[in-house]
Amino acid sequence: MESASLDSNEPKRVSVTSPELPEWAFDPANAQNWSFGKKIYNTAVPSILCLLISFGLAIYSPSHAHVQAAFHTSTTKSLLPFTMYVYGLAFGPMIAAPISETYGRRFIYLVMTPLAMVFILGAGFSNNLAGLAVCRLLAGTFIAAPLAVGAGTIMDMWSGPATGRGVMILMTIAFLGPAIGSLVGGWVAEYKEWRWSQWVTLFLGAACWAFSMGAKESYSHPILHRRAVKLGLPPPPSLIPGGLAGVRMMLTVTLARPVYMLLTEPIVALCSLYSSLNFSVLFCFLACIPLIYTDVYGFSQGQCGLVFISLALGCSIGCLGLLATDQYTMAQHRRRHPDGLVQPPPERVLWAAMLASPLMPAALFWFAWTSTRHVHWMCSIVAVGLFGCSNLMIFVSTALYLTRVYGAKFGASALAANGLLRYGIGGSFPLFTLAMYHNLGYSWASSLLGFLAVAFAPLPWMFFRWGSQIRKHSAYTS
């Protein structure tokens, strides 16, 4: 991380608004001026909470058979609480974004997470499938709040290349959640009833919330607003209008504009479809890996969970790949423009996706044709790790590309469009995953996912070659 601490400097006082107020650039309350250790801790808070989000998603999947037996329902319906949680993740940031603009990011971490835990508690006490599904939907909606502000917290604190690298690490930790959740969920499913999948999430949520209690507000607007009110000064202008105008603005930014951009912006639509494929395959793996390794290799539920260690290792390697490509491409740009006057093009961040796009279909075909009885189980497990690596590199790279292309003004809407589509499509996949694997056979079902990955593999290369020309025809890029 490249950041200099200014905590030891005497704050410069100015008399623009009040002699008691230091200039914000030199203010100790400015997150850019925090010590390195304080920045690390406040980066860890959203990272841990994002890990909790995906952990709570994945831990349910191994126990769905227990839900099926307890509520005398079908396999598809027993996976509905999983899907409803994912749908909640799609709409949760729409609630959190306007709240954070008024009350700050710390409020999101300290208030929304306990609300989510209340609904996780309700899910654990549910006595029917409908109650379980509704509680999981509401839990997903509230627990998703850090997704809306996590990257913003990092941008508040870090500057320069450290900002992008901080976001990469944040997303990597979030991607570890499905692996850890499935690992723990496998042993829970083997030795406990399904309710323990919710109790474990509740215990972890309480620990994460306790860890986040020391978080400091990093967003300048609520800090300056509270300070002005305390001193009897005119508060800074609100970024969101009051009343119905504010509601209309937030609906535009979080719903109407994202849907419009999906329909009219090729970059948003295609990157979002690619992310949807990534998440769809990931969620398919959460459902099909226990099926395959139980049926083909005779693994227990707990042993099936151990397979996901490979996914976690793959994500960790993918993070290293992201950091290495970012540092290399930035060094190349600085070598070509030593004066620093030319900003790198948005397409620079696509290098990681370009390298990983052929690896994803290779991993899926590898997994498809080695997860058979005559091939040792370790071979297919390596393929799971390769998928984890390529999946992370593609998703993070394309998400960063959207923020670079559309900037601060429209980047939030582009990412909201991405989230709506990837969670909407990805969350629906588990409902037919098991039927697909039973009807097509294990190898051909995984191969179908591989063929879809082949179709999308040229996408980062196309944007790298023609992205600048596509951006010229966009109404949302300057």
Side-chain angles (χ1 to χ4, degrees):
M1 296 289 184
E2 299 175 8
S3 177
S5 172
L6 301 178
D7 278 359
S8 60
N9 295 343
E10 183 68 21
K12 178 182 177 182
R13 298 187 179 277
V14 295
S15 57
V16 176
T17 56
S18 169
E20 292 86 4
L21 295 180
E23 184 179 344
W24 179 247
F26 300 93
D27 197 312
N30 186 341
Q32 293 282 334
N33 300 332
W34 290 351
S35 67
F36 181 77
K38 190 174 181 179
K39 289 183 178 182
I40 290 294
Y41 169 71
N42 283 274
T43 300
V45 168
S47 301
I48 294 298
L49 292 177
C50 287
L51 173 70
L52 172 66
I53 294 169
S54 49
F55 178 92
L57 162 76
I59 194 174
Y60 173 83
S61 184
S63 296
H64 78 88
H66 295 315
V67 172
Q68 180 181 355
F71 296 141
H72 308 289
T73 188
S74 65
T75 301
T76 300
K77 290 180 180 178
S78 70
L79 284 165
L80 189 60
F82 178 97
T83 295
M84 298 304 287
Y85 185 97
V86 178
Y87 290 165
L89 299 185
F91 293 102
M94 296 183 184
I95 299 173
I99 293 175
S100 69
E101 292 293 337
T102 303
Y103 298 102
R105 312 199 198 281
R106 185 174 184 269
F107 179 89
I108 296 296
Y109 300 142
L110 298 187
V111 175
M112 303 297 273
T113 301
L115 289 176
M117 292 303 104
V118 170
F119 291 107
I120 291 291
L121 182 67
F125 281 116
S126 296
N127 293 319
N128 55 68
L129 185 63
L132 176 59
V134 170
C135 284
R136 291 276 295 176
L137 171 65
L138 294 172
T141 301
F142 284 102
I143 206 171
L147 293 175
V149 299
T153 298
I154 290 175
M155 288 186 282
D156 290 338
M157 293 183 288
W158 304 97
S159 58
T163 305
R165 293 166 192 171
V167 173
M168 291 175 188
I169 295 173
L170 169 73
M171 292 183 176
T172 300
I173 294 174
F175 265 71
L176 293 177
I180 300 173
S182 297
L183 170 63
V184 176
W187 294 108
V188 169
E190 183 168 345
Y191 291 106
K192 296 289 184 180
E193 63 168 337
W194 68 267
R195 298 181 193 275
W196 273 93
S197 65
Q198 306 308 297
W199 304 150
V200 172
T201 305
L202 191 64
F203 299 151
L204 179 63
C208 293
W209 182 67
F211 176 79
S212 66
M213 290 292 287
K216 300 297 182 183
E217 182 57 61
S218 63
Y219 188 31
S220 62
H221 186 268
I223 295 174
L224 294 176
H225 185 276
R226 292 164 194 159
R227 183 179 291 175
V229 170
K230 183 178 180 180
L231 296 174
L233 301 171
S238 175
L239 301 176
I240 302 177
L244 290 177
V247 175
R248 190 181 303 112
M249 176 183 173
M250 292 312 304
L251 287 176
T252 299
V253 173
T254 60
L255 185 59
R257 188 190 293 154
V259 173
Y260 184 77
M261 293 178 77
L262 274 175
L263 298 175
T264 60
E265 293 289 312
I267 292 177
V268 174
L270 292 174
C271 285
S272 298
L273 284 172
Y274 205 1
S275 296
S276 300
L277 173 66
N278 289 4
F279 274 61
S280 297
V281 176
L282 175 62
F283 294 159
C284 277
F285 270 26
L286 299 184
C288 76
I289 282 179
L291 171 67
I292 293 173
Y293 285 87
T294 299
D295 189 32
V296 175
Y297 299 112
F299 281 21
S300 68
Q301 285 281 3
Q303 290 170 333
C304 288
L306 295 175
V307 174
F308 289 95
I309 295 176
S310 176
L311 184 67
L313 290 174
C315 290
S316 301
I317 295 172
C319 180
L320 296 177
L322 285 164
L323 295 173
T325 53
D326 180 74
Q327 184 168 354
Y328 175 77
T329 56
M330 196 65 199
Q332 291 293 100
H333 176 78
R334 287 171 173 167
R335 189 173 295 114
R336 287 191 295 267
H337 305 282
D339 53 9
L341 300 178
V342 179
Q343 290 294 320
E347 285 73 26
R348 180 187 72 85
V349 299
L350 286 174
W351 268 105
M354 292 163 63
L355 295 174
S357 59
L359 298 181
M360 184 173 170
L364 292 173
F365 286 121
W366 180 352
F367 177 79
W369 298 101
T370 57
S371 53
T372 57
R373 286 184 173 85
H374 61 274
V375 179
H376 193 273
W377 48 263
M378 192 62 208
C379 189
S380 58
I381 288 178
V382 174
V384 172
L386 181 60
F387 164 74
C389 174
S390 58
N391 184 42
L392 177 73
M393 292 177 70
I394 292 169
F395 173 73
V396 174
S397 185
T398 52
L400 290 175
Y401 182 56
L402 289 176
T403 63
R404 298 293 197 277
V405 169
Y406 294 100
K409 187 173 183 181
F410 300 112
S413 295
L415 290 178
N418 185 284
L420 281 172
L421 198 63
R422 76 174 185 263
Y423 286 127
I425 295 177
S428 302
F429 255 67
L431 295 178
F432 56 81
T433 292
L434 298 183
M436 179 178 72
Y437 272 80
H438 282 305
N439 294 329
L440 296 181
Y442 299 162
S443 294
W444 282 110
S446 297
S447 294
L448 177 60
L449 301 176
F451 289 127
L452 291 173
V454 169
F456 279 93
L459 191 62
W461 298 83
M462 292 167 56
F463 282 140
F464 188 82
R465 175 65 179 83
W466 294 295
S468 59
Q469 299 176 35
I470 297 173
R471 284 188 278 116
K472 292 178 182 177
H473 300 285
S474 172
Y476 296 101
T477 59
S478 56

